[in-house]
């Protein structure tokens, strides 16, 4: 207890005290929700579900810009960032051994970077 009897004083130093992570989770969640609605509208107007129509959905351009690819990329990067914040917090909350926690965080980062590379190869090689 401190001298006034209010409880323990907590030193506020270090990383990840939550505000930016909270905002990032909410912003990326909104981006993913909006993109889901855009995809659903695209499916409604797509007609028959086949490879050509699916490809055209992502190859949609407006004023020479690959809008479909850009929207998919923003949504996918939002998923990656959302996943990183969530999984990192899980490792920080439940894995007490520092070495193991660092190992799991590095593995998570490598896996997420690998999925970004795979995504870029698939979507941008249309």
């Amino acid at each position: 207890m401190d001298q006034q009897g209010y409880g323990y004083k907590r030193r506020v130093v270090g990383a990840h005290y939550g505000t930016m992570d909270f905002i990032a989770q909410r912003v990326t969640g909104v981006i993913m929700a909006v993109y889901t609605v855009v995809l659903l509208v695209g499916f409604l107007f797509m007609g028959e579900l086949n490879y050509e129509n699916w490809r055209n959905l992502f190859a949609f351009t407006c004023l020479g810009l690959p809008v479909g690819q850009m929207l998919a990329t923003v949504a996918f990067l939002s998923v990656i960032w959302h996943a990183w914040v969530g999984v990192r917090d899980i490792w920080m909350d439940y894995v007490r051994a520092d070495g193991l926690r660092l190992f799991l965080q590095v593995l998570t980062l490598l896996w997420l970077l690998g999925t970004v590379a795979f995504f870029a190869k698939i979507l941008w090689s249309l």
Side-chain angles (χ1 to χ4, degrees):
M1 294 261 194
D2 69 356
Q3 293 176 359
Q4 286 88 17
Y6 291 124
Y8 294 101
K9 285 188 177 181
R10 180 174 174 203
R11 288 184 52 198
V12 183
V13 296
H16 307 298
Y17 280 96
T19 304
M20 290 306 294
D21 294 337
F22 178 84
I23 293 170
Q25 289 287 89
R26 291 343 177 246
V27 169
T28 56
V30 168
I31 290 171
M32 291 184 289
V34 168
Y35 186 68
T36 300
V37 170
V38 168
L39 272 183
L40 290 174
V41 169
F43 288 143
L44 289 175
F45 293 106
M46 183 187 302
E48 183 182 340
L49 183 61
N50 58 29
Y51 174 76
E52 195 61 37
N53 288 339
W54 181 256
R55 182 173 184 217
N56 290 337
L57 181 64
F58 291 99
F60 174 74
T61 59
C62 182
L63 301 173
L65 295 173
V67 176
Q69 289 172 300
M70 290 174 13
L71 289 175
T73 301
V74 168
F76 188 77
L77 292 176
S78 293
V79 169
I80 293 299
W81 192 1
H82 197 89
W84 166 245
V85 171
V87 173
R88 186 205 61 215
D89 286 352
I90 290 170
W91 297 146
M92 287 173 33
D93 289 345
Y94 296 108
V95 179
R96 294 290 176 211
D98 292 338
L100 178 60
R101 184 174 53 239
L102 178 63
F103 177 73
L104 291 171
Q105 288 176 338
V106 168
L107 280 181
T108 302
L109 273 175
L110 290 175
W111 178 75
L112 291 172
L113 290 174
T115 58
V116 168
F118 192 61
F119 170 83
K121 180 184 182 303
I122 290 172
L123 187 67
W124 288 95
S125 64
L126 290 174

